[in-house]
Structure formats: structure tokens, C-alpha cells
Amino acid sequence: MRGMRRIYKIAAHSDVGIVKKTNQDSVLVKIAQTNHDKVCLCVVCDGMGGLADGELASATVIREFDQWFINKLPGLLETPEFPMDELRVQWDDLVMLQNKKLAKYASGIGTRMGTTVVAFLVVDDKYYIMNIGDSRAYMVSDAIYQLTKDQTYVQYEMDLGHLTWEQAQTHPQRNVLLQCVGASDEIHPDYFVGDANPDTTFILCSDGFRHVISPDEIYEKFRPELLENEDIMLHNIVSLVELNKSRKEVDNISAAVIRTCREG
């Protein structure tokens, strides 16, 4: 791989869906050339709350990650080996501070608001993911792999052996979150680390993107060899969004797709 530069092909799309009046999802994608080659940050947030409250919650957290990328990430890139422990400290601090600020604001106006967060960073051929709630990250190479684990009631019950996967799909509490930023007393993010190999596709999405379509259907649209350019990537995202809508998905629908590549 010596002498090969890392590049990213990226596409993202967000749709209000067929029922809701506002789109409470927010998506951020950032790329920068650094002394660690090109780095990529992607964040998807799915807000919840009345009227525009969920939209405010998700947009607020997205803005903070944008500022983190500009102001804090350069300091982490000053060392030859990327400091995963410090990244976790900074991301923990970011979401915990926003949890307090959003809760205080919501209390002041007599409402509740919150947002899921799935954040994805690639540095030095490694990915780092933080997850709060039930937005997801997937990896597509020879197959599709779910990288995150939902922080939901039904996932908890599945882990205990109380529910099967099939039962969870139709459970009346399948959308109940165990935590989210802005509406939880405490925040406990999950972290995931792995290899971001060339010719691999990563997908971040809100839960509305994957409720009524299967992992196999996602895989068929995002196999790396199909994604020759960003126009094809966007076309395939939109086609799955429209498939969701045709199957009467009621939520907002958002996804960002990142293909990692190398060029000489």
C-alpha cells in the first residue's frame, strides 16, 4: 500500500418520508487532508420530540461534531499513532455536555427532546464508531455486517434470551430506546473499532432506512464493485429510500454511504 493515497467516494440522502411534517434526521460528512492522509467523519442523528424539537436536537449535536472536527481532531492527529482513548474521552464529553444542554433547554420550555447518534471516523485505515440509540452503521465487503448494536428495549430482551429476532421485528415496544442524547439521565455510548480496508462500503442510517427492507436488499445496492462513482451511490440510496416509502415506512429516512478506496 506504500505510495497509495486514501480516497473516499461519498453520497448521502435524507427524506421526510410519507407521514411526518418535518424531517428530524440530520447528516454530517466531513473530509480533510492531514498528516495521516485523508480522514473522514460521518455522523447521522435521528431526532425525536414534538414539532421541531427533534430537528433542533439532531441539528445541535451535528453542529457540535462539525466543530469538533475543525477544532479538536487536528490535535489528535499530531502523534504518529492515533490516540483512540483520547478520542473516546472527547466524544464522551461532547455528547454528555449536549445531553445536559438539551435537557435543560427542553425543561425550560416544558417539553422533551432527544436524538440518537452514530458517529464514524476513519483514520489510518481504522474506523472508530460511537453509537447511542438505534441509528446504525453497516459494513459491506463480501457480505453485509452490522457494526453497531441497537440500544433498544427489544435488543436488550434479545440479549437476555427473552425475545427471538423474529419476535423483535413486530414487538409493540420495538422503537423504545434505552437512551438518547437529550432525554436520558446518563449517557453510555458504545464504541466499535475495526479495519477500514480499501474497496469497502460503510453505511450509516437512521432506523427509518432499515425497518422495512432487509440487510440483503441493502447489500445488493451497496456491494463495493457496483459503486463506481458517487452518482451511482446516490441513485442507489434514493432507490432504497423510495422502496421504504412504497412499503409504507412512517419515519424519516436517511443514509450516508462511504466507499473507501486507494489510488496511486
Side-chain angles (χ1 to χ4, degrees), residues 9-199:
K9 296 177 182 178
I10 295 172
H13 182 64
S14 186
D15 194 292
V16 69
I18 62 173
V19 172
K20 295 189 174 182
K21 301 298 184 184
T22 60
N23 189 347
Q24 298 187 332
D25 291 352
S26 297
V27 180
L28 172 72
V29 181
K30 303 279 285 189
I31 296 175
Q33 181 67 51
T34 75
N35 57 326
H36 286 255
D37 204 349
K38 283 187 177 178
V39 300
C40 175
L41 172 70
C42 182
V43 186
V44 171
C45 292
D46 179 358
M48 59 215 71
L51 299 176
D53 292 340
E55 184 179 6
L56 174 62
S58 66
T60 297
V61 173
I62 286 287
R63 184 177 64 245
E64 291 304 313
F65 271 97
D66 182 62
Q67 291 301 304
W68 173 85
F69 187 85
I70 295 168
N71 298 318
K72 294 288 187 68
L73 178 58
L76 299 183
L77 297 172
E78 290 176 355
T79 58
E81 187 167 342
F82 187 72
M84 168 59 189
D85 290 345
E86 181 58 26
L87 173 70
R88 180 168 181 164
V89 168
Q90 291 187 11
W91 279 6
D92 278 355
D93 288 348
L94 187 158
V95 294
M96 289 175 186
L97 178 60
Q98 294 312 305
N99 187 53
K100 291 178 180 177
K101 285 186 173 181
L102 288 171
K104 183 178 180 180
Y105 174 79
S107 176
I109 61 174
T111 188
R112 284 173 64 84
M113 65 174 67
T115 184
T116 69
V117 183
V118 58
F120 168 87
L121 178 71
V122 178
V123 180
D124 293 334
D125 294 324
K126 288 283 187 182
Y127 68 76
Y128 305 89
I129 296 173
M130 180 187 72
N131 182 59
I132 301 166
D134 65 350
S135 293
R136 285 184 182 174
Y138 293 93
M139 179 174 69
V140 178
S141 52
D142 59 326
I144 184 167
Y145 304 92
Q146 184 179 328
L147 301 178
T148 53
K149 190 173 185 179
D150 297 343
Q151 296 180 339
T152 58
Y153 170 77
V154 293
Q155 182 64 58
Y156 178 73
E157 290 294 295
M158 287 169 61
D159 290 345
L160 294 176
H162 297 166
L163 286 176
T164 65
W165 183 87
E166 289 77 13
Q167 290 171 329
Q169 304 316 299
T170 56
H171 196 280
Q173 293 178 288
R174 63 186 178 277
N175 294 325
V176 175
L177 300 178
L178 297 182
Q179 59 177 334
C180 65
V181 178
S184 298
D185 293 334
E186 295 183 3
I187 295 292
H188 300 284
D190 289 331
Y191 285 88
F192 308 88
V193 181
D195 294 326
N197 296 316
D199 294 321

